[in-house]
Every structure is written in C-alpha cells, then in structure tokens.
C-alpha cells in the first residue's frame, strides 16, 4: 500500500458532532433576530472547518456591521465552548471508525487537524479515550494548511503517501495547498460547496480500507 499517513478532521469525520456546533452558532446570534441567525447558520454550513475565531469576526462585521473587540471575541469563544464541548464528547462516532482503527489503525501514522482550538480538541480526545490513537492533534487559531505543512516538515513525510479525510471546504483547500490526496465524507458541513465537484468519497469507514488500497 502506498498510503502511510492519514490526516483526519474531527467534526463530521470522527464524531457526528457538526449539528451541535451549528445549533451553538444559531443560539448565539438568535438574540439579533431570526434573519441574522439564519445567515450565520448558512455561512457556517458552507464554510465548515474554519475556526470559530474567524467566524465570529466575520459574522459581527458582515451581519451586524460591528467590529468585535478582542475581549468580546474571547467571551464568545468561551460561550461557544461551554455550549458544545460536552455534546461533542457525547456525540456518536462516524459509522465504522472504531472497527477501522482496530483492524487497520496500526498500518498508518494518524493526526487530527481541526478548526477546533488545539487545547479543546486535546481535551475532547482524552475524555473520549481516543488520545492514544493519534500521533498528535492540532487546531485553531492556526489554519489547517499551516498544520499540514508543519506535520509534513516535522515528521519528514512524503506527500504522495498522505491522505486528508475531511467534510469541509477548509479540509479540501488545505489538502490541495499541500499537494495531498483528499477523501470526502459528505455531511451537514459540506453545505453546497461540494455539490458540483467530483471527489473520491467514502460513505463511512467500512469503505475506507478499499479506497486507500485503490490509490495509485
């Protein structure tokens, strides 16, 4: 097999947790009205994988006409975390993930690259008893393309031997920028971004082993 390393997004790829984050964004902006909340949700779903830090700045500027202060941004991020972290930890895994790891996990080096803050994703993995599965996990405030390059450099990886598993625009863009193969798992986070594009896709992890074996 040519593939030796796997980069995983987390929400929608390992845990079925996209929905709880969508609801958190909606709840935070609903006090500004249903129209604003709907615009926030629409943007969030079309731009999965982008950090909450960037999204709050964008939503305040574009939908509220406000420049958010650093203190306001920090408070919103803390509120968001309090709304979602337990729900993410309790979310069901994507079908077949544990079985794939049990049967094939040792064949690959594995990292998580997510829009979730690094400290938060590490906490989530520990509380889900998953931290020993991965070499490491990285998240915001750095973008995903930053982490793909850092991992490749720090671990001296061959780009031809890496696959990025994602469900969002940011995942695809990071894989393209670093010259990596990409596998799409369609989810709520896909929004409309992937509708008119052709990708190698997996329905769940029962497909993944055969897909990886077919990469040339």
């Amino acid at each position: 097999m040519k593939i030796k390393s796997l980069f995983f997004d987390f929400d929608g790829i390992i845990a079925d947790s996209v929905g709880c984050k969508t609801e958190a964004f909606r709840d935070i902006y609903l006090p500004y009205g249903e129209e604003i909340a709907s615009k926030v949700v629409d943007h969030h779903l079309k731009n999965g994988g982008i950090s909450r830090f960037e999204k709050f700045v964008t939503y305040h500027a574009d939908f509220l006409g406000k420049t958010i202060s650093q203190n306001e941004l920090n408070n919103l991020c803390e509120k968001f975390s309090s709304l979602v972290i337990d729900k993410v930890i309790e979310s069901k895994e994507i079908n077949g993930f544990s079985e794939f790891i049990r049967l094939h996990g040792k064949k690959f080096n594995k990292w998580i690259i997510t829009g979730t803050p690094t400290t938060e994703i590490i906490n989530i993995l520990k509380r889900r008893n998953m931290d020993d599965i991965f070499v490491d996990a990285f998240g915001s405030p750095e973008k995903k393309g930053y982490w793909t390059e850092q991992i490749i450099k720090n671990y001296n990886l061959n780009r031809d031997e890496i696959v990025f598993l994602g469900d969002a625009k940011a995942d695809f863009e990071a894989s393209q920028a670093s010259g990596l193969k990409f596998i799409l798992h369609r989810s709520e986070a896909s929004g409309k971004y992937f509708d008119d594009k052709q990708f190698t896709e997996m329905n769940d992890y029962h497909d993944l082993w055969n897909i990886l074996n077919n990469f040339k």
Side-chain angles (χ1 to χ4, degrees):
M1 173 181 287
K2 187 175 183 181
I3 304 304
K4 296 182 180 179
S5 299
L6 302 177
F7 293 170
F8 296 82
D9 181 30
F10 187 80
D11 298 304
I13 294 297
I14 293 175
D16 188 11
S17 50
V18 173
C20 67
K21 295 192 172 181
T22 302
E23 286 305 308
F25 276 116
R26 177 178 174 78
D27 290 347
I28 287 172
Y29 283 93
L30 192 57
Y32 298 101
E34 184 67 42
E35 183 178 355
I36 296 297
S38 295
K39 288 181 179 180
V40 166
V41 167
D42 184 60
H43 180 279
H44 166 65
L45 293 176
K46 289 178 180 177
N47 295 274
I50 297 175
S51 77
R52 65 195 65 167
F53 302 96
E54 292 184 63
K55 287 182 175 179
F56 283 133
V57 172
T58 296
Y59 298 158
H60 267 58
D62 293 354
F63 303 145
L64 303 180
K66 297 181 178 180
T67 299
I68 191 170
S69 70
Q70 188 61 52
N71 187 55
E72 289 174 313
L73 180 58
N74 292 341
N75 288 339
L76 281 178
C77 288
E78 288 179 10
K79 180 177 181 180
F80 188 91
S81 180
S82 69
L83 287 172
V84 302
I85 190 165
D86 287 337
K87 293 178 181 178
V88 171
I89 291 164
E90 295 165 3
S91 295
K92 294 180 180 179
E93 70 173 37
I94 299 300
N95 191 28
F97 176 76
S98 290
E99 183 179 2
F100 176 84
I101 294 299
R102 178 174 58 83
L103 294 175
H104 307 297
K106 292 182 179 179
K107 301 179 179 72
F108 305 98
N109 300 308
K110 303 172 293 299
W111 288 265
I112 286 181
I113 301 175
T114 175
T116 300
T118 297
T119 54
E120 188 172 307
I121 190 61
I122 290 173
N123 181 32
I124 288 168
L125 291 175
K126 287 180 179 178
R127 290 179 61 182
R128 288 182 69 114
N129 297 314
M130 299 174 68
D131 51 315
D132 61 344
I133 294 174
F134 305 96
V135 177
D136 213 336
F138 302 103
S140 58
E142 288 82 3
K143 294 184 178 182
K144 295 187 177 186
Y146 171 87
W147 288 123
T148 55
E149 288 302 307
Q150 287 297 304
I151 294 169
I152 290 167
K153 178 182 177 181
N154 292 342
Y155 292 90
N156 194 29
L157 303 182
N158 184 336
R159 295 171 194 268
D160 291 335
E161 298 173 345
I162 305 170
V163 170
F164 197 126
L165 289 83
D167 69 332
K169 177 181 177 181
D171 303 327
F172 174 66
E173 290 179 342
S175 71
Q176 291 297 101
S178 291
L180 311 180
K181 297 174 179 64
F182 180 71
I183 295 177
L184 171 65
H185 178 246
R186 289 186 184 269
S187 74
E188 186 185 10
S190 301
K192 298 179 180 178
Y193 180 75
F194 294 109
D195 284 355
D196 60 350
K197 299 176 177 64
Q198 297 296 316
F199 293 94
T200 300
E201 296 190 38
M202 69 175 193
N203 293 315
D204 58 35
Y205 282 90
H206 295 114
D207 301 332
L208 184 57
W209 178 247
N210 288 332
I211 293 172
L212 293 173
N213 271 299
N214 287 330
F215 275 123
K216 305 299 183 184

PDB file of all heavy atoms in Angstrom, residues 4 6 100-110 132-133 209:
ATOM      1  N   LYS A   4       0.629   5.927   3.797  1.00  0.00           N
ATOM      2  CA  LYS A   4       1.222   5.627   5.089  1.00  0.00           C
ATOM      3  C   LYS A   4       0.725   6.540   6.215  1.00  0.00           C
ATOM      4  O   LYS A   4       0.850   6.195   7.389  1.00  0.00           O
ATOM      5  CB  LYS A   4       2.750   5.728   5.002  1.00  0.00           C
ATOM      6  CG  LYS A   4       3.377   4.702   4.073  1.00  0.00           C
ATOM      7  CD  LYS A   4       4.891   4.816   4.071  1.00  0.00           C
ATOM      8  CE  LYS A   4       5.510   3.774   3.144  1.00  0.00           C
ATOM      9  NZ  LYS A   4       7.001   3.904   3.121  1.00  0.00           N
ATOM     10  N   LEU A   6      -2.413   9.405   7.616  1.00  0.00           N
ATOM     11  CA  LEU A   6      -3.780   9.911   7.483  1.00  0.00           C
ATOM     12  C   LEU A   6      -3.935  11.165   8.333  1.00  0.00           C
ATOM     13  O   LEU A   6      -3.586  11.167   9.519  1.00  0.00           O
ATOM     14  CB  LEU A   6      -4.793   8.857   7.928  1.00  0.00           C
ATOM     15  CG  LEU A   6      -4.761   7.517   7.195  1.00  0.00           C
ATOM     16  CD1 LEU A   6      -5.785   6.561   7.823  1.00  0.00           C
ATOM     17  CD2 LEU A   6      -5.033   7.690   5.706  1.00  0.00           C
ATOM     18  N   PHE A 100     -12.414   0.299  11.998  1.00  0.00           N
ATOM     19  CA  PHE A 100     -11.291   0.596  11.106  1.00  0.00           C
ATOM     20  C   PHE A 100      -9.997   0.730  11.898  1.00  0.00           C
ATOM     21  O   PHE A 100      -8.953   0.187  11.503  1.00  0.00           O
ATOM     22  CB  PHE A 100     -11.566   1.882  10.322  1.00  0.00           C
ATOM     23  CG  PHE A 100     -10.418   2.304   9.453  1.00  0.00           C
ATOM     24  CD1 PHE A 100     -10.251   1.756   8.193  1.00  0.00           C
ATOM     25  CD2 PHE A 100      -9.492   3.233   9.905  1.00  0.00           C
ATOM     26  CE1 PHE A 100      -9.171   2.122   7.397  1.00  0.00           C
ATOM     27  CE2 PHE A 100      -8.411   3.610   9.119  1.00  0.00           C
ATOM     28  CZ  PHE A 100      -8.256   3.055   7.856  1.00  0.00           C
ATOM     29  N   ILE A 101     -10.036   1.448  13.006  1.00  0.00           N
ATOM     30  CA  ILE A 101      -8.842   1.627  13.828  1.00  0.00           C
ATOM     31  C   ILE A 101      -8.372   0.290  14.390  1.00  0.00           C
ATOM     32  O   ILE A 101      -7.171  -0.009  14.417  1.00  0.00           O
ATOM     33  CB  ILE A 101      -9.110   2.634  14.965  1.00  0.00           C
ATOM     34  CG1 ILE A 101      -9.363   4.039  14.387  1.00  0.00           C
ATOM     35  CG2 ILE A 101      -7.953   2.655  15.947  1.00  0.00           C
ATOM     36  CD1 ILE A 101      -8.210   4.617  13.603  1.00  0.00           C
ATOM     37  N   ARG A 102      -9.307  -0.532  14.834  1.00  0.00           N
ATOM     38  CA  ARG A 102      -8.949  -1.836  15.402  1.00  0.00           C
ATOM     39  C   ARG A 102      -8.291  -2.733  14.358  1.00  0.00           C
ATOM     40  O   ARG A 102      -7.294  -3.418  14.642  1.00  0.00           O
ATOM     41  CB  ARG A 102     -10.189  -2.507  15.967  1.00  0.00           C
ATOM     42  CG  ARG A 102      -9.940  -3.910  16.537  1.00  0.00           C
ATOM     43  CD  ARG A 102     -11.179  -4.458  17.213  1.00  0.00           C
ATOM     44  NE  ARG A 102     -12.316  -4.516  16.314  1.00  0.00           N
ATOM     45  CZ  ARG A 102     -12.545  -5.520  15.441  1.00  0.00           C
ATOM     46  NH1 ARG A 102     -11.683  -6.528  15.357  1.00  0.00           N
ATOM     47  NH2 ARG A 102     -13.611  -5.504  14.680  1.00  0.00           N
ATOM     48  N   LEU A 103      -8.816  -2.729  13.138  1.00  0.00           N
ATOM     49  CA  LEU A 103      -8.334  -3.635  12.093  1.00  0.00           C
ATOM     50  C   LEU A 103      -7.120  -3.088  11.349  1.00  0.00           C
ATOM     51  O   LEU A 103      -6.239  -3.850  10.951  1.00  0.00           O
ATOM     52  CB  LEU A 103      -9.451  -3.927  11.092  1.00  0.00           C
ATOM     53  CG  LEU A 103     -10.649  -4.705  11.620  1.00  0.00           C
ATOM     54  CD1 LEU A 103     -11.723  -4.804  10.551  1.00  0.00           C
ATOM     55  CD2 LEU A 103     -10.228  -6.096  12.088  1.00  0.00           C
ATOM     56  N   HIS A 104      -7.092  -1.777  11.148  1.00  0.00           N
ATOM     57  CA  HIS A 104      -6.084  -1.209  10.242  1.00  0.00           C
ATOM     58  C   HIS A 104      -5.299  -0.039  10.825  1.00  0.00           C
ATOM     59  O   HIS A 104      -4.367   0.443  10.170  1.00  0.00           O
ATOM     60  CB  HIS A 104      -6.779  -0.723   8.956  1.00  0.00           C
ATOM     61  CG  HIS A 104      -7.634  -1.747   8.303  1.00  0.00           C
ATOM     62  ND1 HIS A 104      -7.124  -2.927   7.798  1.00  0.00           N
ATOM     63  CD2 HIS A 104      -8.986  -1.781   8.079  1.00  0.00           C
ATOM     64  CE1 HIS A 104      -8.117  -3.641   7.269  1.00  0.00           C
ATOM     65  NE2 HIS A 104      -9.244  -2.972   7.446  1.00  0.00           N
ATOM     66  N   GLY A 105      -5.645   0.412  12.018  1.00  0.00           N
ATOM     67  CA  GLY A 105      -5.048   1.629  12.550  1.00  0.00           C
ATOM     68  C   GLY A 105      -3.540   1.602  12.635  1.00  0.00           C
ATOM     69  O   GLY A 105      -2.875   2.619  12.378  1.00  0.00           O
ATOM     70  N   LYS A 106      -2.957   0.475  12.989  1.00  0.00           N
ATOM     71  CA  LYS A 106      -1.505   0.405  13.170  1.00  0.00           C
ATOM     72  C   LYS A 106      -0.739   0.488  11.856  1.00  0.00           C
ATOM     73  O   LYS A 106       0.485   0.650  11.858  1.00  0.00           O
ATOM     74  CB  LYS A 106      -1.139  -0.880  13.907  1.00  0.00           C
ATOM     75  CG  LYS A 106      -1.612  -0.885  15.364  1.00  0.00           C
ATOM     76  CD  LYS A 106      -1.187  -2.148  16.086  1.00  0.00           C
ATOM     77  CE  LYS A 106      -1.644  -2.116  17.541  1.00  0.00           C
ATOM     78  NZ  LYS A 106      -1.260  -3.343  18.273  1.00  0.00           N
ATOM     79  N   LYS A 107      -1.447   0.397  10.744  1.00  0.00           N
ATOM     80  CA  LYS A 107      -0.790   0.482   9.430  1.00  0.00           C
ATOM     81  C   LYS A 107      -0.476   1.920   9.034  1.00  0.00           C
ATOM     82  O   LYS A 107       0.238   2.152   8.049  1.00  0.00           O
ATOM     83  CB  LYS A 107      -1.670  -0.163   8.360  1.00  0.00           C
ATOM     84  CG  LYS A 107      -2.012  -1.622   8.603  1.00  0.00           C
ATOM     85  CD  LYS A 107      -2.912  -2.156   7.496  1.00  0.00           C
ATOM     86  CE  LYS A 107      -3.260  -3.631   7.702  1.00  0.00           C
ATOM     87  NZ  LYS A 107      -4.205  -3.836   8.811  1.00  0.00           N
ATOM     88  N   PHE A 108      -1.033   2.886   9.778  1.00  0.00           N
ATOM     89  CA  PHE A 108      -0.903   4.285   9.394  1.00  0.00           C
ATOM     90  C   PHE A 108      -0.437   5.142  10.563  1.00  0.00           C
ATOM     91  O   PHE A 108      -0.767   4.868  11.720  1.00  0.00           O
ATOM     92  CB  PHE A 108      -2.259   4.832   8.922  1.00  0.00           C
ATOM     93  CG  PHE A 108      -2.890   4.034   7.820  1.00  0.00           C
ATOM     94  CD1 PHE A 108      -3.862   3.089   8.102  1.00  0.00           C
ATOM     95  CD2 PHE A 108      -2.511   4.223   6.495  1.00  0.00           C
ATOM     96  CE1 PHE A 108      -4.454   2.349   7.099  1.00  0.00           C
ATOM     97  CE2 PHE A 108      -3.102   3.489   5.475  1.00  0.00           C
ATOM     98  CZ  PHE A 108      -4.067   2.542   5.777  1.00  0.00           C
ATOM     99  N   ASN A 109       0.298   6.203  10.235  1.00  0.00           N
ATOM    100  CA  ASN A 109       0.506   7.300  11.180  1.00  0.00           C
ATOM    101  C   ASN A 109      -0.706   8.215  11.069  1.00  0.00           C
ATOM    102  O   ASN A 109      -1.161   8.512   9.961  1.00  0.00           O
ATOM    103  CB  ASN A 109       1.784   8.071  10.839  1.00  0.00           C
ATOM    104  CG  ASN A 109       3.008   7.192  10.882  1.00  0.00           C
ATOM    105  OD1 ASN A 109       3.243   6.507  11.874  1.00  0.00           O
ATOM    106  ND2 ASN A 109       3.783   7.200   9.811  1.00  0.00           N
ATOM    107  N   LYS A 110      -1.231   8.697  12.203  1.00  0.00           N
ATOM    108  CA  LYS A 110      -2.517   9.396  12.180  1.00  0.00           C
ATOM    109  C   LYS A 110      -2.443  10.689  12.997  1.00  0.00           C
ATOM    110  O   LYS A 110      -1.954  10.672  14.137  1.00  0.00           O
ATOM    111  CB  LYS A 110      -3.626   8.492  12.736  1.00  0.00           C
ATOM    112  CG  LYS A 110      -3.758   7.176  11.985  1.00  0.00           C
ATOM    113  CD  LYS A 110      -4.718   6.216  12.657  1.00  0.00           C
ATOM    114  CE  LYS A 110      -4.221   5.715  14.003  1.00  0.00           C
ATOM    115  NZ  LYS A 110      -2.949   4.971  13.892  1.00  0.00           N
ATOM    116  N   ASP A 132      -4.791   8.156  22.516  1.00  0.00           N
ATOM    117  CA  ASP A 132      -3.679   7.261  22.181  1.00  0.00           C
ATOM    118  C   ASP A 132      -3.754   6.747  20.749  1.00  0.00           C
ATOM    119  O   ASP A 132      -2.851   6.054  20.284  1.00  0.00           O
ATOM    120  CB  ASP A 132      -3.630   6.082  23.152  1.00  0.00           C
ATOM    121  CG  ASP A 132      -4.890   5.236  23.129  1.00  0.00           C
ATOM    122  OD1 ASP A 132      -5.919   5.700  22.599  1.00  0.00           O
ATOM    123  OD2 ASP A 132      -4.849   4.097  23.637  1.00  0.00           O
ATOM    124  N   ILE A 133      -4.801   7.104  20.012  1.00  0.00           N
ATOM    125  CA  ILE A 133      -4.957   6.663  18.629  1.00  0.00           C
ATOM    126  C   ILE A 133      -4.067   7.470  17.695  1.00  0.00           C
ATOM    127  O   ILE A 133      -3.568   6.954  16.693  1.00  0.00           O
ATOM    128  CB  ILE A 133      -6.429   6.781  18.177  1.00  0.00           C
ATOM    129  CG1 ILE A 133      -7.296   5.801  18.962  1.00  0.00           C
ATOM    130  CG2 ILE A 133      -6.575   6.543  16.672  1.00  0.00           C
ATOM    131  CD1 ILE A 133      -8.794   5.961  18.675  1.00  0.00           C
ATOM    132  N   TRP A 209     -10.917   1.278   3.794  1.00  0.00           N
ATOM    133  CA  TRP A 209      -9.791   0.396   3.511  1.00  0.00           C
ATOM    134  C   TRP A 209      -9.642   0.128   2.019  1.00  0.00           C
ATOM    135  O   TRP A 209      -8.547   0.225   1.462  1.00  0.00           O
ATOM    136  CB  TRP A 209      -9.954  -0.915   4.278  1.00  0.00           C
ATOM    137  CG  TRP A 209      -8.862  -1.914   4.010  1.00  0.00           C
ATOM    138  CD1 TRP A 209      -8.968  -3.106   3.370  1.00  0.00           C
ATOM    139  CD2 TRP A 209      -7.482  -1.788   4.375  1.00  0.00           C
ATOM    140  NE1 TRP A 209      -7.760  -3.742   3.314  1.00  0.00           N
ATOM    141  CE2 TRP A 209      -6.827  -2.946   3.935  1.00  0.00           C
ATOM    142  CE3 TRP A 209      -6.758  -0.809   5.047  1.00  0.00           C
ATOM    143  CZ2 TRP A 209      -5.469  -3.163   4.115  1.00  0.00           C
ATOM    144  CZ3 TRP A 209      -5.402  -1.021   5.237  1.00  0.00           C
ATOM    145  CH2 TRP A 209      -4.775  -2.183   4.778  1.00  0.00           C
TER     146      TRP A 209
END
